[in-house]
Amino acid sequence: MAGGVGSRFWPKSRNHFPKQFIDILGLGKSLLQLTYERFLKICPNEQIFILTNENYAQLVKEQLPYILEKNILLEPSRNNTAPCIAYASYKISKSNPLANIVVAPSDHLILKEDFFLDKINQALSFSSYNEALLTLGISPSRPDTGYGYIKYQNLSVEHQVSSIEKQVSSIKNNDAEIKKVTDFMEKPSLKKAQSYLDSGDYVWNAGIFIWSANAIIKAFEKYAPEIASLFAKGLDSYNTGTEKEFINSNYPSSPNISIDYAILERADNVYTIPADIGWSDLGTWASLHHVVEKDEDGNACRCQHINLQNTKDCLIQLPANKAAVIKGLSDYIIVDDGKVLLIYPKSDEQEIKQIAGQMVKDFGNEYQ
């Protein structure tokens, strides 16, 4: 999934060039490119699909030149994750009804790729034999209030399997790591987040999903029939020359709803695999500061010429040709994208999305 605008990373992430296309980590590759390379270790290039807004088609082609053009699925409108997942699922099922599907955001950081690949393969083994909806749960390392949480039951694999209508014929999972999900929790208060951490029965919701094409389509039919009926109408069009016309005509009328609300919070066959994979959703500047390399004063600087005095715990990103002198700041975000300079307390970064909107309102769409 590569269609978001990443508004909390304003001004670096803008409508015309959002977060997933930016080398936000300073590695010489965008987050989209890193995600693509990660999944090449799971499946071949021709089985990787990119779902993005039609405005970003050229960016995807430039950054992923080996992706088949037919595998770039263009959304004519932003209708959240449920419709885009439905579109891909029905299209994939048309060509391979027995397909297993991994759904992943294109703009997340995963530091422990070997562990990640192992968990994905465990999940694919499970979804191959069970009508189950799996989500990769992130083992929480702190009582974070910025993530949604998933509560699970600590059951054995045998117990879990029997609850999915005993459809299992083979389970290649020796560690009993697949857990039955009981609840999805919204972003909690700090007190609740601490209680979740202390209980040991909660994981962060990373938005990484694994299921068979058959399982997710049945779930759409049962829990989101409006979405199911809309995309089922396109069965004669998928993978043909009329697919784009069908999507452009019908996709904008799909409900604007996330996959969590549409299906996962309602379904009774949802499972999770807790995982410590060095994950971050990189949803905010502070989350980026948390994972990147810092100096002895806690400053994370991406700039060539800088003089820091009495400055600590700041995230600083400047254009290559710009020098800066900074004194007396603590816990600040300082980002200059060449057109906009942002100097903002990290503690107030949740306001940045609204500030960006106000800039557009006051000074025009060039700041969007």
Side-chain angles (χ1 to χ4, degrees):
M1 297 183 291
V5 295
S7 54
R8 288 181 175 82
F9 266 90
W10 187 88
K12 202 81 169 180
S13 178
R14 308 272 277 281
N15 266 3
H16 69 283
F17 202 81
K19 180 180 71 166
Q20 59 269 28
F21 301 105
I22 299 172
D23 176 18
I24 202 79
L25 297 167
L27 299 176
K29 296 177 181 178
S30 72
L31 294 172
L32 173 63
Q33 289 170 319
L34 293 171
T35 305
Y36 166 74
E37 291 178 0
R38 185 178 306 131
F39 277 95
L40 282 176
K41 300 171 184 176
I42 293 287
C43 64
N45 175 66
E46 52 272 15
Q47 292 180 15
I48 295 177
F49 294 80
I50 310 296
L51 290 107
T52 191
N53 187 271
E54 60 186 7
N55 294 327
Y56 305 141
Q58 191 56 39
L59 280 173
V60 172
K61 293 175 187 178
E62 289 171 1
Q63 294 203 355
L64 303 178
Y66 298 111
I67 278 284
L68 302 178
E69 187 161 356
K70 67 179 182 179
N71 287 11
I72 303 174
L73 310 189
L74 300 179
E75 304 161 277
S77 60
R78 289 189 171 94
N79 291 28
N80 216 314
T81 55
C84 90
I85 289 172
Y87 173 22
S89 300
Y90 277 87
K91 176 182 172 69
I92 291 169
S93 178
K94 173 74 178 296
S95 61
N96 180 10
L98 301 179
N100 270 317
I101 298 172
V102 181
V103 180
S106 62
D107 56 359
H108 289 187
L109 173 68
I110 293 173
L111 295 173
K112 302 177 182 179
E113 288 207 351
D114 287 344
F115 288 99
F116 170 76
L117 297 173
D118 179 62
K119 300 300 181 185
I120 293 294
N121 282 320
Q122 277 187 0
L124 287 169
S125 177
F126 191 75
S127 64
S128 296
Y129 297 102
N130 295 274
E131 193 178 300
L133 309 176
L134 286 97
T135 175
L136 203 63
I138 306 303
S139 303
S141 57
R142 59 188 182 277
D144 201 298
T145 60
Y147 298 139
Y149 285 70
I150 298 170
K151 185 179 182 182
Y152 62 82
Q153 287 179 313
N154 219 341
L155 302 178
S156 69
V157 169
E158 289 76 17
H159 188 169
Q160 294 168 33
V161 171
S162 66
S163 70
I164 319 176
E165 302 175 5
K166 298 182 178 179
Q167 294 180 55
V168 67
S169 60
S170 174
I171 296 297
K172 300 174 182 177
N173 176 53
N174 298 322
D175 298 324
E177 292 180 346
I178 298 173
K179 315 292 185 181
K180 181 75 168 67
V181 170
T182 59
D183 285 296
F184 284 79
M185 323 300 288
E186 299 292 340
K187 295 175 182 178
S189 65
L190 182 60
K191 184 177 180 180
K192 276 192 174 181
Q194 185 63 57
S195 71
Y196 295 166
L197 185 66
D198 293 341
S199 80
D201 294 332
Y202 293 81
V203 288
W204 290 333
N205 185 359
I208 301 171
F209 310 114
I210 306 95
W211 42 54
S212 67
N214 178 61
I216 190 61
I217 287 174
K218 281 189 175 181
F220 273 112
E221 290 171 346
K222 183 174 181 179
Y223 300 106
E226 183 181 357
I227 296 176
S229 62
L230 188 152
F231 287 98
K233 287 192 305 183
L235 286 174
D236 290 337
S237 296
Y238 298 131
N239 308 314
T240 75
T242 63
E243 178 178 327
K244 183 174 177 58
E245 179 184 354
F246 170 80
I247 290 299
N248 287 345
S249 298
N250 291 276
Y251 194 99
S253 64
S254 62
N256 189 329
I257 189 170
S258 72
I259 195 71
D260 299 69
Y261 287 133
I263 291 178
L264 296 176
E265 294 185 11
R266 305 173 64 196
D268 59 3
N269 59 335
V270 182
Y271 291 77
T272 189
I273 300 181
D276 176 11
I277 55 175
W279 171 88
S280 172
D281 69 343
L282 295 179
T284 63
W285 286 114
S287 64
L288 176 64
H289 181 262
H290 183 74
V291 299
V292 296
E293 186 176 350
K294 294 172 276 291
D295 65 19
E296 63 273 12
D297 294 315
N299 297 307
C301 301
R302 278 192 62 192
C303 39
Q304 293 179 338
H305 307 293
I306 190 162
N307 183 304
L308 297 179
Q309 303 173 45
N310 192 29
T311 293
K312 61 181 183 178
D313 298 321
C314 290
L315 184 136
I316 305 164
Q317 293 200 3
L318 306 176
N321 62 349
K322 182 161 287 189
V325 178
I326 301 171
K327 181 178 181 178
L329 290 184
S330 178
D331 283 305
Y332 265 75
I333 302 160
I334 304 154
V335 177
D336 185 345
D337 82 328
K339 186 174 183 64
V340 177
L341 171 64
L342 174 73
I343 304 173
Y344 221 80
K346 274 197 294 178
S347 59
D348 296 331
E349 70 168 346
Q350 294 298 330
E351 300 170 356
I352 291 176
K353 183 176 181 179
Q354 286 70 38
I355 291 295
Q358 191 63 47
M359 288 289 289
V360 173
K361 181 179 179 182
D362 292 343
F363 304 115
N365 288 336
E366 61 184 309
Y367 295 99
Q368 193 168 33

